[in-house]
Amino acid sequence: GYDGAYQPVAPSSREGIWTCFKGGPPEVQHLDLSGEFRTYVLSFTARKGVGINSVLEMAEGRFWVGAGNGGWWMDRAFKQLEVVRFPAELHNMSHGVILGPDNTGYDLVSDTERFKARLFRIEKDSATLCSTNVIDNVGRPMLLTRDRVGNLWMPGGRTNLFRYAQGSMTRFRVPGGPDEDYTQCMQEDREGNLWFGGSDSGLHCLR
């Protein structure tokens, strides 16, 4: 697989991965198996200086693209199809997106400067707030993971994890290191255990 660290990566049907450079120009890159990059300039309206920070290829070939000032659905050639409407008060957005085959799902939208996030439901061209809880990962990048039964998991900073299930947000205090410890990655295994890595405390398993 691939790990983009602070740079998002996503699987590609074109034998490679998609990536984008946060804060860069409105474009995405495709890295093929030979290590060659190809750049696609996006056709959409964005404020000057607003970069792409999320790209996801869907089963039928169209794309979800998230930027600092919103979200878009685009076709195979990265031409704009629809604008996803977020509340007007949101600015400098960073997106953590999980979408299903029907193009609906969730977006953990955070402020790129403070990394305090709220969870939105994505349906077609609309983004609806799911919970009033503010998820704070103590100034660290946000993560969004979905388990096999459809629950969503998010890091909360200082050894906290949040779970969104059946319309409710629940906070879990998990074993960890010092107060500045924070979750860097999360993944469910084939037995349904949730693994997460702490910045100071190492690897943990939530059964």
Side-chain angles (χ1 to χ4, degrees), residues 84-195:
V84 181
R85 298 188 301 273
F86 285 89
E89 68 270 16
L90 293 178
H91 302 284
N92 300 317
M93 289 183 281
S94 182
H95 304 267
V97 182
I98 290 178
L99 297 170
D102 60 353
N103 297 330
T104 67
Y106 296 89
D107 188 0
L108 186 62
V109 179
S110 60
D111 186 305
T112 56
E113 296 177 355
R114 292 182 290 272
F115 288 105
K116 293 185 178 181
R118 290 184 293 173
L119 185 66
F120 287 83
R121 172 71 176 170
I122 302 296
E123 293 182 327
K124 296 184 179 179
D125 62 348
S126 66
T128 305
L129 185 64
C130 294
S131 172
T132 57
N133 294 69
V134 175
I135 310 301
D136 185 358
N137 202 25
V138 198
R140 305 296 181 175
M142 307 301 299
L143 307 169
L144 185 62
T145 300
R146 180 159 53 189
D147 63 26
R148 63 178 61 190
V149 297
N151 299 325
L152 300 173
W153 294 86
M154 296 144 274
R158 294 188 174 89
T159 67
N160 290 308
L161 287 177
F162 284 84
R163 183 188 67 190
Y164 183 75
Q166 299 179 344
S168 298
M169 192 78 75
T170 305
R171 186 179 70 173
F172 293 85
R173 180 77 174 181
V174 295
D179 283 344
E180 64 268 20
D181 194 24
Y182 64 93
T183 300
Q184 293 181 300
C185 57
M186 294 184 291
Q187 181 67 48
E188 186 184 36
D189 65 22
R190 67 185 66 182
E191 282 80 35
N193 304 309
L194 181 67
W195 294 82

Side-chain angles (χ1 to χ4, degrees), residues 23 36 40 44 52 59 75 80 104 158 161 165 173 196 203 205:
E36 295 295 324
Y40 295 81
F44 74 109
I52 306 302
D75 65 15
Q80 178 177 313
T104 67
R158 294 188 174 89
L161 287 177
R173 180 77 174 181
F196 61 94
L203 185 64
C205 181

Side-chain angles (χ1 to χ4, degrees), residues 19-62:
T19 186
C20 52
F21 296 98
K22 293 183 177 181
E27 60 188 31
V28 299
Q29 290 81 31
H30 185 265
L31 174 63
D32 65 26
L33 299 181
S34 68
E36 295 295 324
F37 272 104
R38 180 178 178 181
T39 298
Y40 295 81
V41 178
L42 306 190
S43 173
F44 74 109
T45 302
R47 298 193 309 269
K48 185 178 180 180
V50 173
I52 306 302
N53 55 57
S54 175
V55 57
L56 187 63
E57 183 179 6
M58 306 306 295
E60 77 280 14
R62 72 174 186 167

